[in-house]
């Protein structure tokens, strides 16, 4: 969301954007403790001094990366709930939005999983804050689905959010590697549509 | 299951076991690159020289930890398929076995997630080998369930394995931290039984 308009017009990214892109990739691959400003400068093709001037130190740069990535995620997922549609429509849109982020912002999920394994000083203020916001919207949508008689009673709406998210998180965690855990290369669209089907059937009121 | 019998009799672990326990915890928390033999010695309450003598170097020690943890996991999960019972019974037993590992070997899952984020030299030989073995048994069980008319046709049996595993992996990844993503502290048994119910209803043939 950083300078998108400028980029669309000129097709050329600013040095600030290049540094942020390089930093996002490096932090996703190596974690906060595994990246130096020098490596970011090298990745962005700029001088070390330029990174220091704009971002200060590794921790400040990491904070900027997390803010951008988690802000973007929360905005993309939150947009699902701004529009009309039944709770069931929104469950499908939410699942599709997760896949869109996976494709369009491929470093977001590794950053998130690293934070879950080794929380940084920004875990509460950025990670939990944004993830909780999305979870809250989804939990409320599930509750509405139960109240409207579209989803079955007796299932904890917050657990249901985790069931749906988990089906995709494990896919993202496992399939970003060559030599995936699946016997054949997975088809994203097929996986997504079967997961939504199993989830919605599993929560079907009539059953 | 290193020296279990000895331990059961004397209630005292050998130094080798203490070193392995300390190493397992440290590698799960900090990864292969984040642990020294000295820290392991300190954690086990032995001399540095004793760790070096028994395990050589960090990489050899890490390999021993992975072999023990992934071997234990594959054995525990594989045991589900050695007994009688319908494919549906086995899906429930498999889910319960995952939870047992989560409780009894709490460092196994963080070690696995770290390997998925940053594969070590043992990724193919230990991680993939054991995880594929379990996935293969589960995929075959799902296929049998479809053939017997207990699970619905049209669902990819390997995707179904990932749906089930994913519901639990995300729970393990998210809930091992204080300040979980759930609004209230989760109840393991409730989460487990609702996940199994949603999964089995989602795959129900009749629907």
């Amino acid at each position: 969301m950083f300078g998108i308009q400028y980029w669309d017009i000129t097709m050329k990214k600013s040095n600030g954007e290049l540094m942020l892109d390089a930093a996002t990739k490096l932090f996703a691959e190596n974690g906060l403790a595994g990246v130096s400003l020098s490596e970011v400068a090298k990745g962005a093709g700029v001088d070390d001094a330029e990174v220091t001037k704009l971002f200060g130190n590794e921790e400040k740069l990491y904070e900027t990366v997390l803010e951008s990535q988690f802000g973007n995620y929360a905005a993309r997922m939150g947009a699902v709930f701004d529009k009309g549609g039944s709770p069931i429509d929104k469950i499908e849109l939410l699942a599709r939005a997760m896949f869109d982020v996976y494709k369009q912002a491929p470093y977001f999920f590794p950053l998130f999983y690293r934070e879950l394994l080794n929380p940084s000083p920004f875990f509460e203020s950025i990670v939990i804050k944004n993830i909780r916001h999305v979870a809250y919207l989804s939990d409320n949508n599930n509750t509405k689905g139960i109240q409207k008689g579209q989803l079955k009673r007796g299932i904890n709406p917050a657990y249901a959010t985790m069931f749906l998210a988990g089906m995709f998180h494990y896919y993202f965690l496992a399939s970003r590697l060559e030599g995936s855990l699946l016997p054949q290369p997975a088809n994203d669209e097929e996986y997504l549509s079967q997961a939504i089907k199993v989830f919605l059937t599993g929560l079907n009121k009539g059953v």
Side-chain angles (χ1 to χ4, degrees), chain A:
Chain A
M1 321 300 288
F2 190 100
I4 284 287
Q5 206 181 355
Y6 173 79
W7 185 79
D8 281 342
I9 294 165
T10 66
M11 298 300 281
K12 192 170 178 301
K13 291 192 178 190
S14 71
N15 280 358
E17 286 171 306
L18 291 173
M19 288 182 243
L20 207 55
D21 286 354
T24 303
K25 180 174 188 293
L26 286 164
F27 284 128
E29 286 169 357
N30 304 305
L32 171 55
V35 178
S36 68
L37 289 188
S38 249
E39 289 170 289
V40 174
K42 203 179 161 194
V46 303
D47 290 339
D48 289 16
E50 213 172 331
V51 185
T52 310
K53 194 180 161 197
L54 205 56
F55 295 103
N57 58 33
E58 283 82 0
E59 204 167 277
K60 283 298 291 174
L61 176 54
Y62 182 72
E63 184 181 10
T64 308
V65 165
L66 283 193
E67 264 170 2
S68 162
Q69 291 280 315
F70 280 82
N72 178 41
Y73 179 72
R76 178 72 188 79
M77 304 296 279
V80 164
F81 301 98
D82 290 342
K83 294 165 203 156
S86 74
I88 287 186
D89 293 339
K90 284 177 185 170
I91 286 170
E92 175 150 2
L93 290 172
L94 192 69
R96 293 192 174 276
M98 267 188 88
F99 254 80
D100 288 347
V101 172
Y102 170 60
K103 287 185 180 164
Q104 289 158 18
Y107 300 118
F108 169 72
F109 289 106
L111 286 166
F112 178 34
Y113 304 146
R114 281 187 193 286
E115 281 284 333
L116 288 172
L117 287 169
N118 289 103
S120 75
F122 313 109
F123 185 69
E124 272 293 332
S125 60
I126 301 177
V127 177
I128 287 287
K129 192 191 96 184
N130 284 287
I131 297 294
R132 270 216 181 115
H133 174 70
V134 176
Y136 175 83
L137 294 171
S138 169
D139 298 353
N140 274 358
N141 183 60
N142 292 337
T143 302
K144 211 176 286 175
I146 295 167
Q147 286 166 349
K148 287 193 172 186
Q150 294 172 352
L151 300 176
K152 83 170 142 200
R153 290 183 190 282
I155 296 287
N156 182 322
Y159 292 174
T161 295
M162 289 193 81
F163 300 158
L164 186 70
M167 289 184 180
F168 300 121
H169 282 306
Y170 188 49
Y171 183 83
F172 301 156
L173 192 56
S175 73
R176 65 186 279 274
L177 296 168
E178 296 290 326
S180 138
L181 297 182
L182 291 167
Q184 292 134 19
N187 175 324
D188 286 350
E189 177 55 38
E190 192 182 64
Y191 186 89
L192 174 61
S193 62
Q194 292 199 4
I196 293 168
K197 198 170 168 183
V198 166
F199 180 78
L200 287 178
T201 308
L203 286 186
N204 196 290
K205 190 189 174 287
V207 180

